[in-house]
Amino acid sequence: MQNSYISSRTISIVSSILLIGSSWVLPAPAAETLKSYYAHDVKQDSHGVIAPWNDGCNGPLDERLRIAVEVMKRYPWVDRPKAVVAAPDFVYNSHWSIKSDGTILIPPTNDWMCGDLSQRAWSIVKGMTDYYAYSGDPVAFTYIPITADYILEFAQTPKDAPWPSFPIATPTRGKAYGKCDPNARNQLDLCAIVGTEFLRAYRLTGDKRYLDAARHWGDVFAEKCRFDPSIPPWSRYVDPSVVGWSDELTGSITLILAFLDDLISLGHTGKDDAIVRARDTGRKYISEVLLPKWLKNDTWGRNYWDWDNPVICGIVSMCGDYIMANPQAFPTWKTDLRNVLTLIINRNGTDPNSHGDMYHGAWAFPESCTCCGTSLSYNQYTAAPTLLRYAHLAHDPRIFEIGRRMIIMACYDADEKGVVKDGLFGKTVATGEWSNLAHPWPLCQIMEAIKWTPQTLSPRSENHIIRTTSVVQSVVYAKGRIEYKLFDAPNETITVLRLSFKPDSISADEQDLTCLSELDKVGYLKKPLDAGDYLVTIRHDGKPHVVITGPDPQTQVDDRDLEKSGNWQQMGRDDAWNKSLSISSLVGAAQSINFTGNQVRVIGSVDTQGGRAEVYLDGEKQLTLIDCWSPLARDQQVLYSHSGLPNKKHELKIVVCGTGNPRSEGTNVYIDAIQYSDRTAECDFGAGGGPREPQRMIFGYPKNRDYIDSKGQAWRPATEWVIRSGYGRDTVKRAWWTDRRSIHIGSTKDEELYRYGAHGREFWINLTVAPGKYRVTLHFASTPSHTFLERNSKGRPIDRTVDVEINDKPIINKMNITKEAGGTFRALKKTIENVAPANGAIEIRLKGCDDQGAALQALEVVPMK
């Protein structure tokens, strides 16, 4: 480890190892840990697994959301003449810095820092759309139209360009804060992301300009599609001459397909169904060309705009999201994605300087084998939500636990002031310069993670829309009444909510819905959770407007009952709480309340006259702003929220600034009500979880389908292991035997287990498991090649001599595989019993005792009764 950050190992008092034939009984285990990760000292659950750093019953994900949103709300704006239109600075570029007290600074920038425009748009539009549904905070209607309008007006190619009126998704040329130069490295998969987010913005706002632009872009994609099955349907760039590297587009073709699917779902299929044909061509290429070569390094690379990126990287998660959204087109998606999504662990732990590994049971690794050092939280945010989605759809507890731990550890990256330390050892690596990686991207990905973990990682004793198959255009979270409206409600429209109460009634388009035992028709399911919470799943085909009522335990105080100072006027408003609210534009005018609870929300209105206010909690000024400006009036919206508070007496105070953002026509602050609750719940976010079923894997196994042994047991390719083959090195080429080394293997009925293998001077396997005792069986075989490199000076096959440790305890000492097996091409099994996990994992480490290195063919871990 680096400098003073020395890895510690949990050492237990052990007895000696008892050798019985070829079976050992393992004493208490040990596993690698650090004292802190990113920005926080570590907290662990009773099993030694990573646990949330915060103590609130809102949990780590909600806490990280609040920090991200508060940073974005206080982000500096830029206006004319520096910028073409007034907007938060993050709309134009990712260049930022933040002081330890939370002050945000915008350094002098250049066009290069504007180059992640498409990725920022993705974070802003997708993240804020989901956040609005989840929170009722109307800030989405500030940032999303500004971002989309900037692209629409200043980031498209000319009408007469080869790709006409097309998004400039990666503008690395042009006037910073101004019009983008189309002669840039415009990458097509990222152009498709812009299209997808325009359609999302259309669904949220109803602005048809976004739909019209996206339709045209889809038509261009269809026109440019190649139908030769031997090559990708599209190249990587609009104009490949602007870069000096490969123009091949690989797995991120799925991003284009997702955009085309989105258009098709809105009824736009192109001339003579050209968009459908292009989509189908892309799906066929994924199925028939890319998935069969899932082990090839760049099959899932070449996505990031600022480098060649010919290696597997975080984009594999987005590829997986598309495949999971279309299982009918990819019938073997479960095994395909299980392999591909976990392969990134092996691929990206190769650089010794990155320290990619498992820590307190959580996998952490950089975005690729060539980037970006110890910046390990970024790829956790990228990978974890897709793993959780896969686990939900495939009912896979192992993948769920990998994702759960990963996203909890990722949330260690930000402190209360909004400073993000993405370096494993408490330093900033990428987030110190790139604001998108610091807050908008985590916001986007945390919202995605919450969708698939409503029972485990969503807040307790609160009310939230967790997931919906459409887009929420409006939502009101009032006491005892939740009302929302979707953009549309086609067949099998589903909305999932976590509520702090048992619903009394649920209606859709004023029709009462029935509580069902199975959601095979319009109606709803309700599942009781801890502390009086309910998980509610509603099916409301053809009925976008839903109202839920029930005995909400929170308190809601009308603005009339708040303590006021300064000039406030009462204004009637039909859609406000009790049909009126307070309004003031006077600097220093204030409203306050004393309450007892662990969560609080300010309810108010927004419109084109809206202004800003500051928030004080227990006398401390909060690092955020209330902004009542919005291009469209909305009532009973959540202007400020803070959960996870100590459950005690608090004072909340709102103070009018007398200013508005540069787009506002006024400075009005509208206060309608205050909500709070003192109901507590146990802060259990999945402790003690993990797979309890057997795990069997073959090292070097190249097939994307499991091997079924003579007992009918399934063996998967081994991917959750680390070998430090070096910066940028291809672990599959260097450390996997993917070609059969022999057809005949003696002493076994299952020869296929021993025909491949992993090899290297030292490597280790980290298996995610539930608490308990396990039987670990290692499968070896001496399978020398006939090549000169694998023979000694006398022309004889090389014997490999290995040491094996499990959870830091020596198990096998200088074992000659050939001699122990009784010769070459013979199976050898070594079984270790009563293995208990350390920090939620079993680490098996193999070391070569000579220059030949270690090798392993297969491994199985089986729970003991």
Side-chain angles (χ1 to χ4, degrees):
M1 296 301 172
Q2 295 177 343
N3 301 325
S4 62
Y5 294 94
I6 306 299
S7 66
S8 63
R9 304 242 177 201
T10 306
I11 306 298
S12 302
I13 299 175
V14 300
S15 58
S16 59
I17 300 173
L18 178 63
L19 178 63
I20 307 175
S22 62
S23 178
W24 290 268
V25 177
L26 188 70
E32 185 169 8
T33 62
L34 297 179
K35 293 181 178 180
S36 63
Y37 302 113
Y38 311 134
H40 294 278
D41 291 338
V42 71
K43 288 189 179 181
Q44 60 186 29
D45 63 25
S46 59
H47 306 284
V49 176
I50 193 82
W53 65 266
N54 63 311
D55 296 325
C57 60
N58 60 324
L61 275 63
D62 183 81
E63 188 75 5
R64 186 61 175 89
L65 285 177
R66 180 183 62 82
I67 293 170
V69 171
E70 289 189 354
V71 167
M72 295 176 74
K73 284 185 175 182
R74 71 175 188 269
Y75 214 90
W77 282 53
V78 61
D79 200 354
R80 295 184 179 92
K82 183 177 181 180
V84 287
V85 292
D89 206 281
F90 59 71
V91 169
Y92 292 107
N93 85 103
S94 271
H95 211 176
W96 88 317
S97 66
I98 185 169
K99 298 171 67 174
S100 60
D101 65 357
T103 302
I104 298 170
L105 304 173
I106 307 299
T109 191
N110 53 47
D111 291 332
W112 188 257
M113 298 303 296
C114 306
D116 66 341
L117 175 61
S118 56
Q119 293 163 323
R120 278 181 283 124
W122 185 356
S123 301
I124 294 166
V125 181
K126 184 178 187 301
M128 281 292 171
T129 299
D130 290 341
Y131 183 69
Y132 176 65
Y134 171 85
S135 68
D137 188 331
V139 70
F141 297 95
T142 298
Y143 298 150
I144 290 175
I146 291 176
T147 302
D149 288 350
Y150 171 64
I151 294 172
L152 198 62
E153 296 172 23
F154 301 101
Q156 290 195 84
T157 61
K159 293 180 180 179
D160 59 352
W163 291 71
S165 301
F166 206 68
I168 304 171
T170 47
T172 54
R173 298 178 184 175
K175 176 183 177 293
Y177 299 99
K179 188 171 179 61
C180 302
D181 186 336
N183 299 310
R185 52 183 67 190
N186 206 18
Q187 196 164 301
L188 289 175
D189 52 357
L190 300 181
C191 294
I193 283 177
V194 175
T196 297
E197 297 315 316
F198 261 55
L199 293 177
R200 198 185 314 273
Y202 161 66
R203 288 183 170 98
L204 178 73
T205 66
D207 192 328
K208 194 171 178 295
R209 295 178 303 142
Y210 305 148
L211 174 63
D212 291 341
R215 282 172 170 169
H216 168 70
W217 300 340
D219 291 338
V220 175
F221 267 119
E223 178 187 344
K224 302 289 186 178
C225 180
R226 294 187 292 250
F227 295 94
D228 182 343
S230 65
I231 56 177
W234 298 274
S235 298
R236 185 176 177 183
Y237 297 101
V238 167
D239 179 4
S241 68
V242 300
V243 295
W245 52 62
S246 172
D247 188 37
E248 182 180 0
L249 191 62
T250 55
S252 58
I253 289 170
T254 53
L255 302 182
I256 299 175
L257 305 184
F259 170 48
L260 300 183
D261 273 344
D262 217 0
L263 284 170
I264 293 167
S265 73
L266 287 169
H268 184 68
T269 60
K271 184 178 180 181
D272 299 326
D273 285 339
I275 290 176
V276 176
R277 288 188 290 109
R279 188 274 314 272
D280 291 346
T281 299
R283 285 182 175 180
K284 185 176 182 180
Y285 188 79
I286 294 292
S287 294
E288 297 182 4
V289 178
L290 295 185
L291 285 175
K293 58 177 185 179
W294 67 281
L295 279 178
K296 188 177 178 183
N297 208 358
D298 68 353
T299 298
W300 313 108
R302 305 190 187 280
N303 172 260
Y304 290 101
W305 62 274
D306 53 346
W307 56 303
D308 190 15
N309 187 216
V311 293
I312 191 171
C313 61
I315 193 59
V316 69
S317 294
M318 289 69 183
C319 301
D321 285 332
Y322 178 75
I323 291 172
M324 283 186 283
N326 298 277
Q328 75 286 350
F330 304 95
T332 57
W333 68 270
K334 288 185 180 180
T335 52
D336 285 333
L337 289 187
R338 182 205 60 201
N339 297 342
V340 170
L341 294 176
T342 56
L343 178 62
I344 195 171
I345 294 171
N346 180 257
R347 287 286 197 184
N348 292 355
T350 182
D351 179 11
N353 294 316
S354 75
H355 298 274
D357 205 343
M358 180 182 278
Y359 297 93
H360 271 96
W363 280 105
F365 41 86
E367 72 178 30
S368 80
C369 60
T370 59
C371 187
C372 292
T374 62
S375 176
L376 304 188
S377 66
Y378 166 57
N379 214 37
Q380 289 178 317
Y381 281 124
T382 302
T386 303
L387 291 171
L388 292 168
R389 181 178 187 172
Y390 174 89
H392 175 84
L393 297 175
H395 308 289
D396 190 323
R398 179 178 68 94
I399 298 297
F400 179 87
E401 186 65 7
I402 292 172
R404 185 192 72 87
R405 299 177 188 182
M406 194 181 291
I407 197 67
I408 287 175
M409 183 175 170
C411 292
Y412 273 61
D413 69 334
D415 67 19
E416 295 273 8
K417 305 292 186 182
V419 178
V420 178
K421 299 176 180 178
D422 59 319
L424 180 67
F425 307 109
K427 304 292 183 181
T428 58
V429 180
T431 56
E433 186 175 26
W434 294 92
S435 64
N436 183 41
L437 302 185
H439 290 294
W441 178 246
L443 167 71
C444 176
Q445 292 303 96
I446 285 174
M447 286 309 316
E448 190 66 21
I450 289 176
K451 289 179 182 180
W452 308 106
T453 57
Q455 295 177 237
T456 309
L457 293 177
S458 60
R460 276 68 175 141
S461 302
E462 299 185 28
N463 301 322
H464 296 284
I465 293 175
I466 300 295
R467 182 175 77 247
T468 181
T469 52
S470 185
V471 168
V472 175
Q473 290 189 319
S474 64
V475 61
V476 170
Y477 289 101
K479 174 180 169 58
R481 181 183 173 89
I482 298 170
E483 183 174 358
Y484 67 90
K485 183 179 180 181
L486 303 182
F487 165 76
D488 61 359
N491 191 38
E492 297 187 7
T493 293
I494 300 291
T495 302
V496 179
L497 304 94
R498 179 163 181 155
L499 305 177
S500 61
F501 59 90
K502 179 181 179 179
D504 286 337
S505 68
I506 300 178
S507 65
D509 284 8
E510 300 183 345
Q511 176 184 328
D512 290 339
L513 301 184
T514 302
C515 184
L516 306 171
S517 58
E518 184 178 354
L519 212 60
D520 55 354
K521 59 183 177 180
V522 171
Y524 67 94
L525 305 176
K526 57 183 179 183
K527 178 181 180 179
L529 305 175
D530 294 339
D533 284 6
Y534 275 80
L535 186 67
V536 177
T537 305
I538 307 171
R539 178 170 173 178
H540 47 113
D541 306 2
K543 304 178 189 306
H545 185 192
V546 174
V547 177
I548 305 166
T549 63
D552 192 337
Q554 71 179 327
T555 299
Q556 182 153 328
V557 179
D558 192 79
D559 62 286
R560 294 185 181 91
D561 298 320
L562 302 177
E563 184 177 337
K564 298 178 178 64
S565 63
N567 183 25
W568 289 89
Q569 296 179 346
Q570 204 69 26
M571 182 177 74
R573 200 137 166 170
D574 287 344
D575 291 328
W577 176 257
N578 289 333
K579 297 191 179 298
S580 71
L581 48 72
S582 301
I583 177 174
S584 180
S585 59
L586 180 68
V587 178
Q591 296 196 31
S592 61
I593 185 175
N594 293 309
F595 69 95
T596 298
N598 53 48
Q599 54 183 277
V600 64
R601 277 166 283 280
V602 177
I603 309 301
S605 296
V606 295
D607 61 21
T608 57
Q609 302 289 321
R612 290 170 167 172
E614 294 176 338
V615 181
Y616 291 80
L617 188 59
D618 298 332
E620 182 178 349
K621 182 180 176 180
Q622 300 297 286
L623 287 173
T624 188
L625 287 169
I626 285 176
D627 193 338
C628 293
W629 178 82
S630 181
L632 184 67
R634 291 175 179 272
D635 297 310
Q636 293 194 65
Q637 302 293 280
V638 177
L639 304 181
Y640 169 80
S641 64
H642 198 314
S643 298
L645 297 170
N647 199 35
K648 63 179 186 180
K649 290 183 178 180
H650 299 280
E651 181 192 36
L652 178 73
K653 187 176 183 179
I654 304 148
V655 180
V656 176
C657 295
T659 61
N661 72 50
R663 291 193 172 219
S664 180
E665 299 170 4
T667 60
N668 295 335
V669 173
Y670 308 101
I671 305 299
D672 196 357
I674 302 293
Q675 297 173 347
Y676 63 88
S677 176
D678 63 354
R679 196 172 80 176
T680 59
E682 185 180 356
C683 296
D684 175 11
F685 296 96
R692 290 174 171 82
E693 69 274 9
Q695 298 188 51
R696 298 181 175 91
M697 62 209 71
I698 305 174
F699 289 81
Y701 192 63
K703 299 180 182 179
N704 54 3
R705 302 294 173 265
D706 290 352
Y707 167 68
I708 306 301
D709 68 15
S710 58
K711 297 179 180 179
Q713 300 167 148
W715 297 70
R716 69 177 188 263
T719 54
E720 296 146 73
W721 58 283
V722 178
I723 185 167
R724 306 293 194 205
S725 54
Y727 173 87
R729 300 291 180 87
D730 187 335
T731 56
V732 172
K733 285 185 178 180
R734 289 179 171 268
W736 294 44
W737 286 322
T738 56
D739 293 329
R740 290 189 178 97
R741 311 234 331 146
S742 175
I743 300 300
H744 169 75
I745 300 291
S747 306
T748 180
K749 293 181 179 179
D750 294 297
E751 296 171 275
E752 188 76 350
L753 297 183
Y754 302 90
R755 290 168 173 159
Y756 310 91
H759 60 99
R761 186 175 298 275
E762 178 179 9
F763 58 90
W764 57 98
I765 305 103
N766 289 321
L767 295 181
T768 304
V769 294
K773 295 292 183 68
Y774 295 85
R775 178 183 297 110
V776 175
T777 302
L778 306 170
H779 297 256
F780 299 94
S782 178
T783 56
S785 165
H786 293 291
T787 64
F788 173 78
L789 292 177
E790 293 196 37
R791 291 181 173 267
N792 63 22
S793 59
K794 296 182 180 180
R796 295 176 180 172
I798 292 171
D799 290 341
R800 293 179 184 270
T801 303
V802 301
D803 288 343
V804 178
E805 297 175 357
I806 297 184
N807 291 336
D808 258 1
K809 302 300 180 291
I811 300 303
I812 296 175
N813 182 41
K814 294 184 178 179
M815 182 183 72
N816 185 302
I817 297 174
T818 304
K819 292 181 180 178
E820 191 76 11
T824 57
F825 306 112
R826 295 178 65 84
L828 170 65
K829 295 196 298 183
K830 294 293 180 180
T831 298
I832 307 93
E833 296 189 336
N834 295 316
V835 178
N839 305 104
I842 297 174
E843 181 195 84
I844 303 164
R845 185 175 294 259
L846 293 94
K847 301 177 183 178
C849 299
D850 47 39
D851 290 342
Q852 281 69 53
L856 181 66
Q857 272 65 38
L859 170 67
E860 56 185 324
V861 177
V862 179
M864 298 183 68
K865 295 181 180 179

